[in-house]
Amino acid sequence: MKMMLRACALGMTLAIGSSALASAIGQTVASRVSVSSYQNILDNELFTHNGMNKGIGGAQHDPCRTNIASRLQSYGFTVELHPFTYNAVTYFNVIGTKTGHTFPNQQFIVSGHYDTTSNPGADDDASGIAAMLEIARVISQFDTAYTIKFCAWDREEQGKVGSTAYVNTHPGAQIVGMVQIDMIAHDAGTNQENLYGNGASLPLKQALINAATMYGNGIVFANAGDASFSDHAPFAAAGYQAVCFVEHNYIANNCYHQLCD
């Protein structure tokens, strides 16, 4: 898990800066990734325990959103709740913004989704939200040339509703790259994370694969081709480079979309 987080954080660094700069600060960034910090977020802030429910009408859905917003604010980011409507009810994406010092109008997005299929969703997708928040904690300690938005989407399970609404309400946004983290906690025994995205996303994929090679200590980031099952898809459809991390062979997790997740 630590190596995946390190490689993903470094992938963002490689993508945001030049490869030479990323190499110079890479080990410093990697050393600040903490599995204990990640585990604390996953266990204690995202309502991942037996009997909890972050689906539609779930008791822990809104408190989870509040915790995500509070943690992003604690890193010094500007935080907003982005509203959208689904079935005549207003829901909110959580958006934390770290403004770039050189290219403030150009942005990268790192994200996961905090809603579930009426279960705790420890893997799908609290594992991705916890990774996004840990990466945000580490990146908050460094200046970045580009703006980075750390996003927690809602209503992914109903068809990527929140992320689609975000794309639709930000036409013309200068999004350089988008990285979705969706299910990374189940170990199928392969030490592999799959990277999904269309052909236009290949440069971003390659930056992340390079990061895994440089800093991943044996973890494999595999180019798994295209897929449209997560929140990267609306960004890809709008013409942006957008990729999604998913644990290899996620279907082997018997708790996928079950109450035991």
Side-chain angles (χ1 to χ4, degrees), residues 82-153:
H82 170 253
F84 63 94
T85 301
Y86 173 72
N87 280 355
V89 176
T90 299
Y91 296 96
F92 299 91
N93 300 313
V94 184
I95 314 295
T97 300
K98 176 178 172 56
T99 302
H101 61 77
T102 305
F103 308 107
N105 294 324
Q106 299 182 49
Q107 63 187 258
F108 284 82
I109 291 175
V110 184
S111 61
H113 69 89
Y114 70 93
D115 64 306
T116 70
T117 53
S118 300
N119 59 13
D123 189 28
D124 187 13
D125 181 33
S127 66
I129 289 290
M132 179 272 286
L133 291 172
E134 176 61 10
I135 292 167
R137 183 188 69 81
V138 173
I139 296 298
S140 72
Q141 302 167 32
F142 298 88
D143 288 334
T144 56
Y146 293 84
T147 290
I148 309 178
K149 290 186 177 288
F150 296 94
C151 303
W153 313 115

Side-chain angles (χ1 to χ4, degrees), residues 33 46 76 120 131 138 174 178 184 187 195 197 232-233 246:
V33 173
L46 300 180
V138 173
Q174 298 180 53
M178 186 271 192
I184 60 169
D187 182 10
L195 268 173
H232 66 297
V246 181

Side-chain angles (χ1 to χ4, degrees), residues 135-184:
I135 292 167
R137 183 188 69 81
V138 173
I139 296 298
S140 72
Q141 302 167 32
F142 298 88
D143 288 334
T144 56
Y146 293 84
T147 290
I148 309 178
K149 290 186 177 288
F150 296 94
C151 303
W153 313 115
D154 198 5
R155 301 277 69 88
E156 187 270 354
E157 299 292 0
Q158 284 68 51
K160 307 172 287 290
V161 182
S163 55
T164 299
Y166 183 87
V167 172
N168 289 343
T169 54
H170 292 80
Q174 298 180 53
I175 300 171
V176 182
M178 186 271 192
V179 178
Q180 171 78 357
I181 310 172
D182 196 343
M183 298 187 299
I184 60 169

Side-chain angles (χ1 to χ4, degrees), residues 1 38 42-43 46-49 54 112-117 119-131 157 180-188 193 245-261:
M1 177 62 67
Y38 173 89
L42 186 64
D43 288 349
L46 300 180
F47 300 94
T48 53
H49 296 276
K54 293 175 292 185
H113 69 89
Y114 70 93
D115 64 306
T116 70
T117 53
N119 59 13
D123 189 28
D124 187 13
D125 181 33
S127 66
I129 289 290
E157 299 292 0
Q180 171 78 357
I181 310 172
D182 196 343
M183 298 187 299
I184 60 169
H186 180 257
D187 182 10
E193 292 288 332
F245 278 107
V246 181
E247 62 210 20
H248 178 64
N249 197 19
Y250 70 90
I251 204 68
N253 181 354
N254 292 330
C255 289
Y256 173 62
H257 281 187
Q258 304 299 315
L259 293 177
C260 56
D261 183 6

